[in-house]
Amino acid sequence: MARRLIRVSRIREGRPFPLGATWDGLGVNFALYSAHATRVELCLFDARGRERERIELPEYTDEVWHGYLPDARPGQLYGYRVHGPYEPDAGHRFNPNKLLLDPYAKRLVGQLKWSPALFGYVLGHRDADLSFDRRDSAASMPKCAVVDPAFTWGEDRPPQHPWQRTVIYEAHVRGLTMRHPAVPEPWRGTFAGLQVDELVEHIKSLGVSAVELMPVHAFVDDQHLLERGLRNYWGYNTIGFFAPHVRYLASDTVNEFKQMVARLHRAGLEVILDVVYNHTAEGNELGPTLSFRGIDNLSYYRLADGGRRYINDTGTGNTFDLTNPGALRLVNDSLRYWVEEMHVDGFRFDLATILGRERHGFDPRGGFLDACRQDPVLSRVKLIAEPWDIGPGGYQVGSFPPGWAEWNDRYRDNVRAFWRGDEGRLAEFATRITGSADLFDKRGRRPTASVNFVTAHDGFTLRDLVSYAGKHNEANGEDNRDGGDHNLSANYGAEGETDDPAVNALRLRQQRNFLATLFLSQGTPMLLAGDEFGRSQRGNNNAYCQDNELTWIDWDAAGKDAAAALTRFVRTLGGLRRRFGLLRHGRFFTGRYDEELGLKDVTWLRPDGAEMTEDDWHDPQARALMMRLDGRSPPSGLHEPGRAVTLLLLVNAAAAPAAFHLPEVAGEHWRVLVDTAEARTGEAIAGGERWQAPDRSLALLAVERDRPAKEASAPAR
């Protein structure tokens, strides 16, 4: 098809900011960052995806190419062709035969169709990526769409829950909504489905304060997965940092996402996005040319070998280069867009060590981390790091700066090993359930900096953790070689599903133990969606490519007796966490005696009631202890001292029963709030009595008094 350049009189110079395609009510300003391009063409498409015009952007200001089209409107489909040197050995991979997505596009239309034309070089050529491919890729590419940002938010207000009251629910848009009976068929798998009252109320009933959505930015289905009849389900393969993934939209407008946020906010739920700024879907030097590679490869990616090869600290083929000002601006602009325009409340950063890695290595005072901390928008939302990657010095748990929370895999691994009955885990277990001070008690950080989790999207579900001794990923088509082997799981007598009532009873108790530990620990708990009623992925611990009933939550199964009982148990835990401030203490416990209050904040006791000694902590066979927390509940009025509260956590991870001698409480009775053995919940037990704990069980007991805490009996010093 013959193409023509637009008449000069129709294209105006426009402005170099803001980047992207911006509708101002009269026309659209187009602005694209490229420090090394020699020419940029704006390509306009009709509604059927046919290219109608190519328009050379007339101006270049401060490394930004720009132009203004007075007759362009929202809905206009577009892309770019960028001219410049094709010199892979020098880091340049410009190829104007390839249609490129605008990194700032707010909406994408259509799906990527894999073909040889997507690659900047000739597939199979003897010179590999040093060759140059002249095929036009436009027919295989999705298109960018100009959006009208207008939306009536009404009285929408961010819930702004403090970290101390935050409980996170990690979920997948499709997985959560595809099989929910209350979600209309056209809405299943979409943001619209997440607005359904029954689903929202279920989440809220668990004591959850924030929904953390797995990646919703536009991403690509890997070619090798499509060839096996699979697809990229998790979405950690981003190609557009501003655009919602097209498959998650039931409508043709990004306002659907805003409507979802408004609905969740109305229920008091924050929205946190799992974001992937560490790499893109373009892969290594043998990957396709879809956007960044063809716009300015040298600026967007970390390169080696003079520029031809990609540094791969992510394990995905490439690494985004946040030491480059243009790439850094893109990421921060994207974050601000999702806060200011889409009203999200925070972010969980995938492989966040990458974001803090400077040329010399990870630096907690690096450019991106400093930019977030000083930014008036980003510094007031929740920022959560996955604090590792596969690069040198990539494990950085506890090393992120103030203002950040972090996924704590040390918590996950210890809690799993402890309840499995592994030797020598008791001392660390005490550290983990009290906020991991060894990792986070520095620079004024609080226990809430530790995002505690037992399970997450990556790995076993909670039910599978207690049902499988090993992974079963055969459905992924990689001969069960993929996925981690360090699961710290157990099957308790049978691999997978079984009809053995004793095995199933133990598995249920272990699930209750894990859930109770999670909700009763200091820090920020994160619950994996479906774990509240014991969903299974049939032993698959790497279900990233399973967009089907293996990963979609079975809400019908959630209504069965055992599942419903487990859900009620989680609701009880959520209610207790809300009620007792001692379970979400704002500071790290010290164990020191407070003369004014007449108590310790935490006391560690052996089952016989004596305080733990150094020898007790280092006994590899020790698997049982009591943790006593003393403090005051929040006052109900301005002039009231608040109620004195004592909580007692009894833990027995041994495969045999344990007898606990309950501390005296000045004539008061202990009230049983939680018993994972489901034997004595609700009972009142006098201090000094013995509590016979079954094997692998946990209980929480409480005493509340109406007199000031300093008049309560002081624990032993």
Side-chain angles (χ1 to χ4, degrees):
M1 180 183 70
R3 282 130 177 141
R4 60 185 177 85
L5 292 179
I6 194 70
R7 293 193 306 272
V8 175
S9 60
R10 184 174 157 216
I11 182 76
R12 301 176 185 173
E13 69 175 44
R15 299 183 299 173
F17 60 89
L19 289 166
T22 305
W23 161 248
D24 63 7
L26 298 174
V28 178
N29 191 81
F30 294 90
L32 180 74
Y33 163 80
S34 179
H36 300 97
T38 58
R39 183 158 60 97
V40 173
E41 290 178 307
L42 171 67
C43 302
L44 301 182
F45 295 82
D46 64 19
R48 298 177 61 184
R50 295 174 299 188
E51 187 173 1
R52 291 306 189 191
E53 290 182 299
R54 293 187 187 181
I55 306 168
E56 187 171 340
L57 294 183
E59 292 295 332
Y60 183 55
T61 306
D62 296 333
E63 300 182 332
V64 175
W65 300 83
H66 55 95
Y68 181 86
L69 278 182
D71 56 352
R73 296 290 182 266
Q76 173 66 60
L77 303 184
Y78 73 99
Y80 289 109
R81 298 180 188 274
V82 181
H83 297 254
Y86 188 82
E87 300 171 357
D89 283 332
H92 298 304
R93 294 179 180 269
F94 294 100
N95 187 336
N97 299 290
K98 310 306 170 184
L99 184 74
L100 305 174
L101 298 175
D102 180 358
Y104 281 72
K106 307 302 191 298
R107 184 164 73 93
L108 300 185
V109 175
Q111 298 280 0
L112 184 80
K113 301 172 186 176
W114 285 98
S115 80
L118 293 173
F119 295 81
Y121 64 97
V122 180
L123 289 177
H125 195 280
R126 65 180 183 275
D127 293 327
D129 62 301
L130 296 180
S131 62
F132 187 80
D133 188 271
R134 299 183 183 280
R135 282 170 287 194
D136 192 328
S137 68
S140 299
M141 287 289 292
K143 309 302 184 292
C144 308
V146 177
V147 302
D148 182 350
F151 181 76
T152 303
W153 283 98
E155 297 181 357
D156 180 68
R157 296 290 184 273
Q160 293 186 321
H161 296 300
W163 273 110
Q164 283 176 252
R165 293 184 176 273
T166 296
V167 177
I168 297 170
Y169 189 75
E170 189 197 26
H172 189 285
V173 172
R174 283 178 66 79
L176 201 59
T177 61
M178 282 298 292
R179 302 180 69 184
H180 198 288
V183 177
E185 189 71 31
W187 289 6
R188 294 188 174 185
T190 70
F191 302 122
L194 262 172
Q195 303 175 44
V196 171
D197 290 344
E198 291 86 345
L199 182 53
V200 174
E201 292 308 315
H202 167 81
I203 296 171
K204 187 176 180 180
S205 75
L206 303 173
V208 165
S209 69
V211 178
E212 180 178 304
L213 296 177
M214 291 176 65
V216 302
H217 290 170
F219 61 87
V220 170
D221 286 315
D222 312 70
Q223 185 176 16
H224 69 91
L225 292 178
L226 295 176
E227 290 172 350
R228 299 205 303 265
L230 302 170
R231 65 171 24 154
N232 191 317
Y233 174 66
W234 284 352
Y236 293 94
N237 203 26
T238 306
I239 196 60
F241 295 124
F242 290 76
H245 190 57
V246 65
R247 231 174 13 241
Y248 299 163
L249 291 168
S251 60
D252 61 354
T253 171
V254 299
N255 285 347
E256 181 181 323
F257 181 91
K258 299 178 181 180
Q259 292 162 353
M260 177 199 70
V261 171
R263 174 66 185 92
L264 292 173
H265 280 179
R266 194 161 68 248
L269 296 169
E270 294 181 312
V271 178
I272 296 172
L273 298 186
D274 191 342
V275 289
V276 189
Y277 295 109
N278 57 78
H279 75 281
T280 79
E282 292 185 302
N284 63 15
E285 61 273 7
L286 300 180
T289 296
L290 308 175
S291 180
F292 309 93
R293 191 195 310 279
I295 292 172
D296 195 344
N297 186 64
L298 191 60
S299 292
Y300 279 119
Y301 293 117
R302 296 194 66 193
L303 305 175
D305 296 338
R308 180 180 178 185
R309 310 296 182 191
Y310 289 73
I311 292 174
N312 187 20
D313 290 339
T314 63
T316 63
N318 65 56
T319 302
F320 217 57
D321 187 4
L322 293 193
T323 66
N324 176 274
L328 177 62
R329 176 171 56 182
L330 169 75
V331 172
N332 282 85
D333 284 350
S334 170
L335 292 169
R336 280 189 293 268
Y337 171 78
W338 287 96
V339 175
E340 295 183 305
E341 293 294 328
M342 309 298 257
H343 284 207
V344 305
D345 306 282
F347 304 93
R348 178 266 187 191
F349 294 83
D350 180 65
L351 301 183
T353 300
I354 292 288
L355 309 181
R357 182 176 273 115
E358 300 294 305
R359 296 297 180 185
H360 58 274
F362 177 81
D363 186 346
R365 292 178 172 83
F368 172 74
L369 299 178
D370 279 352
C372 288
R373 190 176 184 187
Q374 61 80 38
D375 189 283
V377 174
L378 302 181
S379 61
R380 61 181 172 84
V381 300
K382 290 182 168 67
L383 303 175
I384 303 169
E386 182 186 37
W388 51 76
D389 63 30
I390 67 168
Y395 188 77
Q396 294 293 336
V397 174
S399 299
F400 276 71
W404 285 75
E406 302 175 37
W407 272 28
N408 187 352
D409 67 327
R410 298 273 293 277
Y411 178 97
R412 175 199 63 198
D413 290 352
N414 174 263
V415 169
R416 287 185 178 192
F418 176 76
W419 280 113
R420 192 172 66 170
D422 293 8
E423 291 185 356
R425 306 290 180 151
L426 187 67
E428 186 183 352
F429 180 77
T431 300
R432 298 293 159 245
I433 66 174
T434 50
S436 296
D438 60 328
L439 300 173
F440 299 106
D441 189 9
K442 50 192 171 185
R443 300 183 69 184
R445 301 181 79 184
R446 300 296 178 91
T448 52
S450 174
V451 175
N452 300 329
F453 64 104
V454 177
T455 58
H457 69 273
D458 188 0
F460 282 140
T461 66
L462 185 61
R463 180 173 171 179
D464 289 353
L465 183 66
V466 300
S467 302
Y468 294 90
K471 66 188 182 186
H472 294 268
N473 299 350
E474 290 81 6
N476 295 354
E478 300 178 44
D479 298 322
N480 204 34
R481 294 189 304 270
D482 62 305
D485 294 310
H486 184 64
N487 297 299
L488 298 168
S489 62
N491 64 23
Y492 302 102
E495 187 73 354
E497 295 301 305
T498 179
D499 293 329
D500 188 319
V503 172
N504 285 330
L506 178 54
R507 289 175 176 178
L508 274 171
R509 187 158 75 251
Q510 285 288 64
Q511 288 178 75
R512 289 192 291 269
N513 288 332
F514 282 123
L515 290 164
T517 302
L518 179 66
F519 274 81
L520 303 180
S521 294
Q522 304 297 317
T524 302
M526 185 183 77
L527 177 69
L528 176 64
D531 276 356
E532 68 269 25
F533 54 79
R535 79 175 181 96
S536 173
Q537 290 179 167
R538 299 197 290 276
N540 193 318
N541 76 346
N542 188 36
Y544 76 103
C545 56
Q546 299 293 331
D547 188 3
N548 50 50
E549 292 189 355
L550 183 71
T551 52
W552 301 340
I553 293 177
D554 184 355
W555 292 100
D556 289 336
K560 295 179 180 178
D561 290 346
L566 193 60
T567 300
R568 290 193 295 272
F569 181 75
V570 174
R571 288 170 179 160
T572 296
L573 295 172
L576 291 173
R577 189 172 181 88
R578 284 196 303 270
R579 178 177 177 183
F580 292 107
L582 278 177
L583 297 176
R584 41 183 173 80
H585 203 250
R587 299 181 182 276
F588 290 99
F589 293 122
T590 65
R592 292 190 293 269
Y593 185 77
D594 189 309
E595 295 287 351
E596 181 181 354
L597 295 179
L599 47 79
K600 288 183 179 181
D601 52 9
V602 63
T603 307
W604 300 101
L605 305 170
R606 298 189 315 225
D608 65 5
E611 285 206 49
M612 294 282 289
T613 66
E614 282 299 311
D615 288 342
D616 294 327
W617 286 120
H618 292 99
D619 179 0
Q621 302 303 319
R623 293 180 176 86
L625 86 166
M626 292 186 284
M627 178 181 71
R628 175 172 172 159
L629 301 179
D630 286 281
R632 294 180 183 175
S633 61
S636 56
L638 291 176
H639 304 293
E640 297 178 20
R643 309 190 79 197
V645 178
T646 299
L647 298 177
L648 187 68
L649 185 69
L650 313 178
V651 177
N652 176 28
F660 289 92
H661 184 83
L662 300 183
E664 298 282 353
V665 280
E668 299 280 355
H669 282 69
W670 293 100
R671 187 159 46 85
V672 183
L673 303 178
V674 172
D675 177 9
T676 62
E678 294 194 314
R680 307 182 69 174
T681 302
E683 286 188 22
I685 306 172
E689 289 195 8
R690 291 171 69 82
W691 173 282
Q692 193 69 20
D695 65 288
R696 302 183 182 92
S697 64
L698 173 152
L700 180 69
L701 285 60
V703 172
E704 292 184 85
R705 315 182 229 1
D706 288 319
R707 59 181 180 275
K710 65 181 178 182
E711 297 179 10
S713 60
R717 281 177 278 179

